[in-house]
Amino acid sequence: MTEQRKDILDMLAAGKVTAEEAEQLIAALERDQAPAVAGHDARPKGKVKYLRVVVDANDNGEPSRVNVRVPLQLLRAGVRLAALIPPQALVKANASLSDSGVPIDLTQLKPEQLEALVEHLDEVTVEVDSPDATVRVFCE
Amino acid sequence: MPQLVTVKVNRPDRRPIRVWVPVLPVVLVLFPVVVLVVLAAIVACVVFRIGVVRALGAAWRVISALPGARFDIEQGRSAVLVAIR
């Protein structure tokens, strides 16, 4: 909740404005915020179809490049498939991860959380620059 | 469903290999194997108490979502490209 919206609700609770006036103020606030949010996101939402992973590296003076393009639909389908993994397998996977020094509890990961993550991947851009390698993860 | 899988392999000092695999004819040729794999998957689902219909549906979704995937790996003068259309 934004600070301005909270102020409007406080004014409503204090009886300084009526419910209709508060509704009009919130509507005006949303109108003002909509273009600002659109301005941040230069890419057209809903148009992205692929997750791209591009790695440019230099191994012992030999340039190497990995360029992977995965359809987002495939990630969504993978999430649905992963939701079928039985709990006893997740417990074994947790133990293996913990032994490898990755203490992640996979049983706490819900399919809907993963779906939400995939839904919002189009807003994600990860760039890692190091002297030997450059990694870029983005959607297109 | 994928229609064509393209595999390209470039090796230094050798002729590049390009293979185009039409998926449907290959699946038809390997149909007995596909049936066996599906039966094995159904048995595995029953053993591990996973909904057979849900599992087959999810697997089909994964296969249907494959077109558009592309894996391109280059190192020096060697390169491997796998593209699914």
Side-chain angles (χ1 to χ4, degrees), chain A residues 82 85-87 89-98 102-111 113-114:
Chain A
I85 297 173
L90 289 178
V91 170
K92 285 184 182 174
N94 278 346
S96 297
L97 283 171
S98 188
V102 187
I104 296 176
D105 188 358
L106 294 175
T107 56
Q108 296 296 315
L109 273 179
K110 305 289 179 235
Q113 292 170 334
L114 290 173

Side-chain angles (χ1 to χ4, degrees), chain A residues 50 59 62-71 73-74 77-78 80-81 84 86, chain B residues 48 50 54-55 58-59 61-62 65-76:
Chain A
Y50 301 105
D59 294 334
E62 210 173 44
S64 61
R65 181 181 173 84
V66 176
N67 185 359
V68 176
R69 187 178 75 176
V70 180
Q73 202 61 35
L74 184 60
R80 284 173 189 266
L81 194 61
L84 298 174
Chain B
F48 291 104
I50 298 170
R54 275 183 68 201
R61 269 199 203 94
V62 170
L66 277 173
R70 187 186 169 98
F71 305 90
D72 192 0
I73 301 166
E74 293 172 32
Q75 181 154 30

Side-chain angles (χ1 to χ4, degrees), chain A residues 31 33 66 75 89 94-95 106 113 129 136 140:
Chain A
R31 273 199 303 275
Q33 283 176 346
V66 176
L75 296 184
N94 278 346
L106 294 175
Q113 292 170 334
D129 279 317
R136 288 198 306 139
E140 63 177 18

